[in-house]
Amino acid sequence: MNDTQVTLVGYVATQIDYKETQNGPSARFRFAVTPRYFDRRKDAWTDGTTSFYTVWARRTLAVNLAGSVAVGEPLVVHGRLRVRQDPPDGEGNRWFSAEIDATAIGHDLNRGTAAFRRVVTTDTPLMAPQKVSVV
């Protein structure tokens, strides 16, 4: 309820790691987000520092993600932001990581085209006999 919702635009940085777990399908990948800004001194667009996020997808989103996305493709990711702090290492350094628990993922159509295919699910086998009612 009080989660931080974010929408990020960037590129798939790693292969999709898809797994079937006891709680259902799960997938994760690293997502690179590089801000661009106009540098007036150089009179040109300049890339800022790239931030990397681990994106998690669960259930149907994980299945569809694994069948639809490849490394290098531009995406829009929407979900809950979680920032984790790892315990200090032997030298006293602390590490932080940002993760997105995705609720929606799609191709960025500003950078290309996509063809949507609806997933059809059915409760009855396709070859099972079907009842025909006569009215």
Side-chain angles (χ1 to χ4, degrees):
M1 198 151 133
N2 292 325
D3 292 331
T4 302
Q5 297 285 321
V6 295
T7 301
L8 302 171
V9 177
Y11 292 89
V12 179
T14 63
Q15 297 237 351
I16 308 300
D17 180 18
Y18 176 82
K19 292 182 181 171
E20 291 283 343
T21 67
Q22 292 178 350
N23 297 327
S26 177
R28 71 177 174 159
F29 66 96
R30 296 286 285 164
F31 191 58
V33 177
T34 305
R36 292 193 60 127
Y37 63 94
F38 190 76
D39 188 339
R40 291 184 183 187
R41 282 184 267 142
K42 295 179 182 177
D43 197 33
W45 286 95
T46 304
D47 287 341
T49 303
T50 301
S51 298
F52 289 91
Y53 301 86
T54 299
V55 177
W56 289 91
R58 313 239 190 267
R59 295 176 288 284
T60 303
L61 181 58
V63 174
N64 293 342
L65 174 72
S68 303
V69 173
V71 174
E73 293 183 346
L75 296 181
V76 178
V77 173
H78 179 78
R80 291 180 291 280
L81 174 66
R82 292 182 297 171
V83 178
R84 289 187 345 188
Q85 177 181 348
D86 293 333
D89 61 11
E91 299 174 9
N93 296 322
R94 290 196 160 164
W95 295 96
F96 293 89
S97 62
E99 298 181 347
I100 308 297
D101 189 12
T103 55
I105 300 173
H107 285 101
D108 183 357
L109 298 181
N110 277 320
R111 297 186 170 105
T113 62
F116 181 77
R117 291 178 307 278
R118 185 174 302 277
V119 176
V120 178
T121 58
T122 177
D123 293 336
T124 59
L126 294 177
M127 300 307 291
Q130 298 178 2
K131 295 181 183 178
V132 178
S133 59
V134 178
V135 180

